[in-house]
Amino acid sequence: MADGLLLSALFLNDVADPLDAASFRLVGESLQVNSAADVEVVAMAGGGTRLVTRPGRTWSAPNVALPQCTPEQVRWLRDHEGRTVWFRDHQGTKFAAVYAQVPVAESTIWRDKGDVELALSSVTASEVV
């Protein structure tokens, strides 16, 4: 057994209140996190092209499967629908995100668990205090 810190697979906290947080130990089979640079290829006179870049990048986590969520975790997620949260995963990825809905498949076998799937998109946020 290796020494070290075992992080939750996913950690979310409210941007406005860092202590308002939820963590999830299980995240489906894998966690897909996408990033994209803000670039554009522009056609120039004479047939050439030019690369136009802007600072920053966009992030998304389109299909975050959260199996076996407790009622408290589901409540936290629903309380934060449409609000900006910090997304952190076990690999150290961090971005400000928003999700619009919390679909829950409630288990009939485990009455106190539900499977949630979120679609998170990045938004601009500041950590300045």
Side-chain angles (χ1 to χ4, degrees):
M1 183 163 124
D3 290 337
L5 177 65
L6 177 62
L7 299 176
S8 294
L10 177 63
F11 183 80
L12 301 172
N13 68 281
D14 192 301
V15 166
D17 180 6
L19 298 178
D20 183 7
S23 63
F24 303 87
R25 294 197 61 208
L26 300 175
V27 181
E29 292 286 321
S30 65
L31 181 60
Q32 178 185 349
V33 178
N34 304 322
S35 70
D38 191 1
V39 299
E40 180 181 1
V41 177
V42 178
M44 304 297 289
T49 57
R50 180 176 178 190
L51 174 65
V52 177
T53 62
R54 291 171 202 81
R57 67 179 49 249
T58 58
W59 293 87
S60 68
N63 301 305
V64 177
L66 301 172
Q68 300 180 14
C69 288
T70 65
E72 293 79 21
Q73 288 172 319
V74 171
R75 192 173 314 111
W76 190 93
L77 290 168
R78 287 188 170 148
D79 287 346
H80 292 80
E81 283 174 327
R83 294 180 61 176
T84 305
V85 296
W86 286 113
F87 169 102
R88 290 183 184 88
D89 69 12
H90 64 291
Q91 297 290 336
T93 304
K94 177 184 177 184
F95 61 92
V98 65
Y99 54 91
Q101 59 182 337
V102 181
V104 180
E106 296 177 352
S107 174
T108 56
I109 298 170
W110 305 103
R111 304 240 178 221
D112 61 341
K113 304 285 183 194
D115 296 339
V116 174
E117 188 168 317
L118 298 179
L120 295 112
S121 297
S122 68
V123 294
T124 302
S126 174
E127 288 187 274
V128 176
V129 222

